């Protein structure tokens, strides 16, 4: 079984540096994947309302505890507040719905998924609500709401007060948004989760978070792979087949995926690669028994081109008929 190191958060909590990302894990196999991951040493599971599989993740978590693979206090469960629940009165009900689906009394980390506030969709009408306000409309689109981040964050802080979330943080925020949040935060964010890979290294953001004692979780560590089916990336952009990555992998006797994950954890970030097969789960976890040289790290970082695959500034217009830029 793989031993996974932890990152210390500004609350003193220890967050496993490797987790399993649950985005796009098929509902039909999700519970079994969660259990298989736990048997392979995973204790950190990254979830979200929007992924549409938290009930199935919860079935797997229940089995982990019932089968004696791990106790609840040995697990780290992250979930996220969706865009339609940013108003103060909706934050706690959204968190409680996630807890009900996961079968938990608390999450270890609760994140604001995007710095985007959309019009509320009642739970009884549609859950997860996804992006469209009214999918049946003649021309469905996003409907925004003018809800300040401060209002949402103050409601997030109340989740900590109530014991529903042990730590809180944000996703897809840049330096300016974080700086503004810190100016009013009673409880500082513990974690920022953002897209990070050698094509998008985000050095200044990492330096800023380090200075502010905010841990960083990298998503899409393999770059383009998750985005082919969404039409948001081309196979020619693959990092897993990139010559630099392949050459380093051969030199280290590791796979390209392991090299990309090792690059990320060696930078001090937390990684949450998605996998479904036992072989890939075990391979992704086998990244703590080797190190990349300074030269190899530099070669990978030199691939940076600022290529962002998950940018609502682009995909909201293409997929949801609404111009909704986040990043410039």
């Amino acid at each position: 079984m793989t031993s996974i190191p932890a990152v210390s958060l500004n609350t003193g909590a220890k967050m496993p540096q490797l987790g399993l990302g649950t985005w796009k894990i098929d509902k039909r196999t999700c519970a079994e994947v969660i259990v298989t991951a736990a048997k392979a040493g995973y204790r950190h599971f990254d979830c979200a309302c929007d992924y549409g599989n938290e009930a199935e993740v919860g079935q797997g978590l229940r089995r982990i505890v019932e089968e004696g693979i791990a106790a609840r206090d040995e697990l780290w469960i992250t979930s996220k507040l969706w865009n339609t629940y940013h108003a103060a009165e909706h934050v706690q009900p959204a968190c409680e719905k996630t807890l009900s689906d996961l079968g938990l009394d608390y999450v270890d980390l609760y994140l604001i998924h995007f710095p985007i506030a959309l019009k509320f969709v009642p739970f009884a009408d549609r859950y997860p609500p996804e992006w469209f306000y009214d999918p049946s409309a003649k021309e469905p689109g996003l409907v925004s709401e003018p809800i300040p981040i401060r209002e949402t964050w103050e409601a997030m802080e109340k989740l900590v007060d109530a014991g529903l979330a042990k730590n809180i943080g944000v996703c897809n925020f840049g330096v300016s948004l974080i700086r503004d949040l810190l100016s009013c935060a009673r409880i500082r964010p513990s974690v920022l989760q953002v897209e990070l890979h050698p094509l998008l290294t985000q050095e200044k953001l990492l330096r800023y978070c380090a200075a502010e004692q905010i841990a960083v979780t990298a998503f899409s560590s393999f770059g383009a792979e998750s985005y082919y089916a969404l039409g948001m990336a081309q196979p020619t952009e693959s990092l897993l087949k990139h010559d630099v990555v392949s050459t380093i992998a051969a030199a280290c006797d590791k796979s390209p995926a392991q090299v990309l994950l090792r690059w990320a954890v060696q930078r001090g970030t937390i990684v949450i690669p998605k996998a479904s097969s036992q072989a890939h789960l075990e391979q992704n976890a086998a990244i703590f028994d080797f190190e990349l040289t300074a030269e190899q790290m530099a070669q990978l970082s030199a691939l940076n081109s600022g290529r962002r695959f998950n940018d609502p500034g682009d995909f909201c217009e293409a997929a949801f008929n609404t111009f909704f830029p986040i990043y410039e």
Side-chain angles (χ1 to χ4, degrees), residues 73-238:
D73 61 6
E74 297 175 305
L75 301 175
W76 182 281
I77 312 301
T78 296
S79 190
K80 307 177 187 77
L81 178 77
W82 188 238
N83 308 331
T84 50
Y85 307 132
H86 277 216
E89 65 269 24
H90 299 143
V91 171
Q92 184 165 327
C95 183
E96 289 173 340
K97 170 60 175 165
T98 274
L99 291 174
S100 175
D101 284 350
L102 292 172
L104 302 176
D105 296 323
Y106 67 90
V107 287
D108 298 272
L109 177 64
Y110 200 54
L111 304 170
I112 297 176
H113 204 148
F114 283 103
I116 297 173
L118 299 179
K119 189 172 181 178
F120 175 66
V121 176
F123 298 101
D125 289 359
R126 192 170 69 253
Y127 189 89
E130 300 182 331
W131 292 86
F132 288 135
Y133 176 67
D134 181 5
S136 64
K138 184 176 181 181
E139 294 186 2
L142 276 62
V143 179
S144 64
E145 288 280 22
I147 301 169
I149 292 295
R150 178 170 185 166
E151 176 182 330
T152 307
W153 189 254
E154 288 175 348
M156 295 279 286
E157 292 172 327
K158 291 178 181 178
L159 299 178
V160 178
D161 297 338
L164 301 178
K166 299 295 187 182
N167 300 271
I168 50 177
V170 294
C171 302
N172 302 299
F173 276 47
V175 169
S176 294
L177 277 172
I178 298 170
R179 184 181 287 116
D180 187 57
L181 176 58
L182 291 175
S183 73
C184 66
R186 172 171 60 88
I187 299 175
R188 293 167 65 87
S190 295
V191 176
L192 167 68
Q193 185 177 129
V194 289
E195 180 179 346
L196 280 174
H197 43 73
L199 298 179
L200 185 70
T201 55
Q202 306 227 55
E203 282 94 349
K204 287 182 284 187
L205 181 59
L206 288 182
R207 286 178 63 188
Y208 179 76
C209 286
E212 295 293 348
Q213 295 185 303
I214 300 170
V216 176
T217 298
F219 72 73
S220 297
S221 293
F222 303 144
E225 303 304 309
S226 295
Y227 301 99
Y228 298 147
L230 302 175
M232 294 159 61
Q234 300 300 319
T236 54
E237 299 178 283
S238 174

Side-chain angles (χ1 to χ4, degrees), residues 12 17 42 45 69 72 95-96 104 120 137 139 144 150 158 174 194 215 224 252-253 257 263 289 299-300:
Q17 197 171 12
Y42 289 74
F45 299 92
I69 301 168
R72 169 64 183 99
C95 183
E96 289 173 340
L104 302 176
F120 175 66
E139 294 186 2
S144 64
R150 178 170 185 166
K158 291 178 181 178
V194 289
C252 296
D253 194 24
W263 172 83
D289 60 352
Q299 288 173 338
L300 291 166

Side-chain angles (χ1 to χ4, degrees), residues 248-313:
I248 293 172
C252 296
D253 194 24
K254 291 288 184 176
S255 71
Q258 288 170 318
V259 166
L260 292 169
L261 294 173
R262 181 65 210 179
W263 172 83
V265 299
Q266 218 163 299
R267 300 174 90 211
T269 61
I270 298 154
V271 292
I272 48 170
K274 175 255 183 185
S276 294
S277 71
Q278 181 176 343
H280 283 152
L281 287 164
E282 292 176 351
Q283 183 185 94
N284 289 345
I287 57 172
F288 299 104
D289 60 352
F290 76 106
E291 284 192 11
L292 300 173
T293 66
E295 181 180 358
Q296 289 169 335
M297 289 290 292
Q299 288 173 338
L300 291 166
S301 295
L303 299 179
N304 181 46
S305 62
R307 175 65 165 106
R308 193 186 305 275
F309 295 103
N310 190 335
D311 181 358

Side-chain angles (χ1 to χ4, degrees), residues 34 45 57-65 75 77 102 104:
I34 297 299
F45 299 92
V57 171
Q59 293 167 16
L61 296 177
R62 184 166 59 252
R63 284 181 53 192
I64 289 170
V65 175
L75 301 175
I77 312 301
L102 292 172
L104 302 176

